[in-house]
Amino acid sequence: MAAFIIEGGHPLSGTIYPQGAKNEALEVICATLLTSEKVTIHNIPQIRDVMNLIQLLKDVGVKVTSHTASNAAETGVSGLTCTFQADDLNLDYLQSIEFVKKCAQLRGSVMMIGPLLARMGKATIAKPGGDKIGRRRLDTHFLGFERLGAKFHHVAERSVYEIHAEQLNGCYMLLDEASVTGTANIVMAAVMAKGTTTIYNAACEPYLQQLCKMLNAMGARISGIASNLLTIEGVDHLNGTDHTILPDMIEVGSFIGMAAMVGNGIRIKNVSIKDLGIIPDTFRRMGITINEEGDDLYIPQMHHYEIQSFIDGTIMTLADAPWPGLTPDLLSVMITVATQACGSVLVHQKMFESRLFFVDKLIDMGAQIILCDPHRAVVVGHDRKLQLRGGRMSSPDIRAGIALLIAAMSAKGTSRIDNIEQIDRGYENIEARLNALGANITRVQ
C-alpha cells in the first residue's frame, strides 16, 4: 500500500486543469456495450476506477484502442481518448469466478447490467465494491429491470444474481429514489426495449444528461433530458458515435476548497461553468471569493473568509440533495474548508451513513467539530487563529481522502496519509499536479 508524506504550510499558486468527470466516464464507457460499432470517447481520466472498468470490458471481449491527448504534459492530466468496439463479446466470461471477483472490487461494474441486458438479453451481477461510506443499495436498479420484464435468479454458491430477459418492454415507472447509477442503468436497458418507457423521479445530474446525449447521438430516442421525467422510445439497434466527457465538477470543487485553504491565487481552467450547478455559490456562502473569467474560475488568496448566516440570522446549514441540489461528494471538502473560516456551519449529510466519520481525523489535527450523529456535524471555524497540526491518518474513501490532503497541506508540520489508493480511484496524478503549484507531497510505499 502507498502513502503520502505532506509537508504543510506551502502556499499554492498557478493554474490547474480538471480531469474528465469520473462518474460520467463510468457510465458512457459501459454504454459502449450497446452497439457493435465503434464508439470513441475523449477526455477519459486515467484513474484507478476508470482504468479497471476499461480492463473489465477488455476481458469481456471489447476491443479498446487508446492514445493520450497532446497537451497532457501542459495540463497534468491524460485526457485519454479511447475507441471501443463491442462486436465480439465473450459471454462465457460473465459466468467465470474471475469476472465476479473483479465486479466485487469495482462499483462501476454494476452499470454493465443495463447494456448487456438490452443487447444480449442476460447479465450477471455480483455485489459491487467501492467506498466504505454506508449502504449503497441496488434495489432501484433491480426494480427498474423487473418493470421492463427481466427475471432474477440468485445463485447462492457463487454469490451472484443472473438476470434474463427474452424481450424488454417499455413501461411507466416511478423510481423509489433518484439514483444516478440506477437511472443510468435503467435508461441503458430501456433504449432498445419494445415500446415507450417513462421514468419519473429520474436523476438529472450532468453525468446522466451527458449519457443521454451520447445515446441519442447513437440513435436512441430520449426526451426530457435535464429533467426528472425521461421518456424513451425503444429502437432496434444503436450506432457508433464520438463523445467528449465533461470536466469533473467534484475535482473543480475540491480545487476551490484547496485554493481557499492554502492558495495564493489559483486559476482552475476550462471548468464548464454551466455544468457546475450551485457548487460555486455554495462556496461563496462560506465566504470564498470566486471570480468567473470566461470558462475559468480564479480564486484569489483568502486571508480571511466568513461563513454567511441565513437571512433570519440562524446558523448556516449545508445539506446534500439530488441534482440540482448540492452533491454529497463535496461535503467532506467543505467541512475541511470550514475549519479555518470565521463562523460556524452545520453540515447535514443525508445520503450516506458513514461519510462523516472521517472528521475524527480533523479533530485530532486540532479542528473544532462536533459530530452530532452519523449524518450531522457542526464546524466551529478557527478564523486562521489556530493552525491545524500535522498527523498520521488513513483515507477511508475518495472524497474524505482529498479533504484530508487539503487539511494536511494547510497544517503545521508533516502529515502522513495511508491508503491513498482510495484517492487514486478519483484523482489523476494528484501529487504531481499539486506539487507543480508549490505543494510538498511525496508518495511512498
Side-chain angles (χ1 to χ4, degrees), residues 143-214:
L143 291 170
F145 296 144
E146 285 183 327
R147 292 299 305 274
L148 292 171
K151 304 292 183 184
F152 291 81
H153 172 61
H154 184 226
V155 185
E157 61 271 19
R158 295 174 58 218
S159 296
V160 299
Y161 283 93
E162 292 181 348
I163 310 168
H164 302 273
E166 290 185 14
Q167 173 66 61
L168 295 177
N169 294 292
C171 65
Y172 169 86
M173 64 180 80
L174 173 61
L175 301 188
D176 61 333
E177 66 173 359
S179 164
V180 178
T181 56
T183 303
N185 230 341
I186 296 166
V187 166
M188 287 189 282
V191 289
M192 294 171 69
K194 185 177 181 180
T196 300
T197 302
T198 304
I199 307 173
Y200 197 24
N201 195 29
C204 54
E205 272 77 355
Y207 321 129
L208 208 288
Q209 297 175 35
Q210 286 286 99
L211 172 66
C212 291
K213 290 173 183 176
M214 174 176 145

Side-chain angles (χ1 to χ4, degrees), residues 173-318:
M173 64 180 80
L174 173 61
L175 301 188
D176 61 333
E177 66 173 359
S179 164
V180 178
T181 56
T183 303
N185 230 341
I186 296 166
V187 166
M188 287 189 282
V191 289
M192 294 171 69
K194 185 177 181 180
T196 300
T197 302
T198 304
I199 307 173
Y200 197 24
N201 195 29
C204 54
E205 272 77 355
Y207 321 129
L208 208 288
Q209 297 175 35
Q210 286 286 99
L211 172 66
C212 291
K213 290 173 183 176
M214 174 176 145
L215 292 173
N216 278 352
M218 294 168 69
R221 297 175 181 172
I222 306 171
S223 58
I225 298 173
S227 77
N228 67 347
L229 181 63
L230 295 175
T231 301
I232 305 159
E233 297 177 48
V235 297
D236 293 332
H237 69 277
L238 295 179
N239 311 311
T241 193
D242 196 284
H243 178 78
T244 300
I245 293 173
L246 288 174
D248 195 314
M249 66 178 179
I250 310 303
E251 194 171 67
V252 171
S254 301
F255 292 152
I256 293 173
M258 212 172 280
M261 285 279 280
V262 293
N264 191 20
I266 291 180
R267 178 177 299 276
I268 311 171
K269 287 288 291 182
N270 304 334
V271 300
S272 190
I273 291 173
K274 65 183 178 60
D275 294 299
L276 294 179
I278 64 170
I279 290 171
D281 283 342
T282 303
F283 279 105
R284 290 182 178 113
R285 291 167 72 185
M286 299 179 71
I288 297 165
T289 299
I290 303 174
N291 299 322
E292 299 181 5
E293 300 176 1
D295 206 25
D296 301 348
L297 299 180
Y298 180 76
I299 298 90
Q301 185 176 27
M302 301 297 301
H303 294 292
H304 170 86
Y305 51 97
E306 184 172 352
I307 298 171
Q308 299 175 7
S309 299
F310 286 119
I311 293 174
D312 62 0
T314 54
I315 185 173
M316 175 63 64
T317 299
L318 300 180

